[in-house]
Amino acid sequence: MRTFTRPALILCMATMALAACDPAEFDPDPDVRRDARANRTCVNAVTAETGSPSQLNTTLPVVEINQYIIDVPATQERWMCRTEDDGKASQLYKMGTG
């Protein structure tokens, strides 16, 4: 088994941490950063509500401000999430199947 030196381990951990970050979190535009936070809080809220991993729906157009559609692939459910102006999820609605 290979053991890593302390500096190599720290470098590896730092690289993994940066890889997990959303590039939008470092965008100079505050609206882009707020939108990234809102996406993340909605995905986390739907995952907590359903108990299944969820993801942002990028195929359906949403014209409302502070509103996002979240898909739960495991159950094929679709949720609508509304956020506060600061990006925190405030309301969840399970959408009909059509």
Side-chain angles (χ1 to χ4, degrees):
M1 185 169 126
R2 177 158 169 78
T3 59
F4 291 100
T5 62
R6 185 177 205 99
L9 183 61
I10 291 171
L11 179 63
C12 181
M13 290 174 61
T15 303
M16 288 178 12
L18 285 175
C21 292
D22 183 353
E25 288 292 335
F26 300 103
D27 196 286
D29 186 348
D31 290 334
V32 172
R33 291 192 310 269
R34 182 189 50 77
D35 195 48
R37 276 192 304 277
N39 288 338
R40 190 174 56 252
T41 62
C42 281
V43 167
N44 290 340
V46 172
T47 297
E49 182 71 25
T50 62
S52 295
S54 59
Q55 62 191 28
L56 180 68
N57 180 298
T58 57
T59 58
L60 294 175
V62 178
V63 294
E64 296 290 326
I65 295 173
N66 298 344
Q67 184 172 311
Y68 304 88
I69 297 175
I70 309 297
D71 291 334
V72 183
T75 59
Q76 296 186 354
E77 293 176 344
R78 184 165 284 156
W79 290 72
M80 193 277 299
C81 175
R82 291 183 189 256
T83 64
E84 301 292 333
D85 286 336
D86 62 358
K88 294 179 184 168
S90 59
Q91 297 175 351
L92 294 176
Y93 301 97
K94 186 174 178 182
M95 298 173 69
T97 57

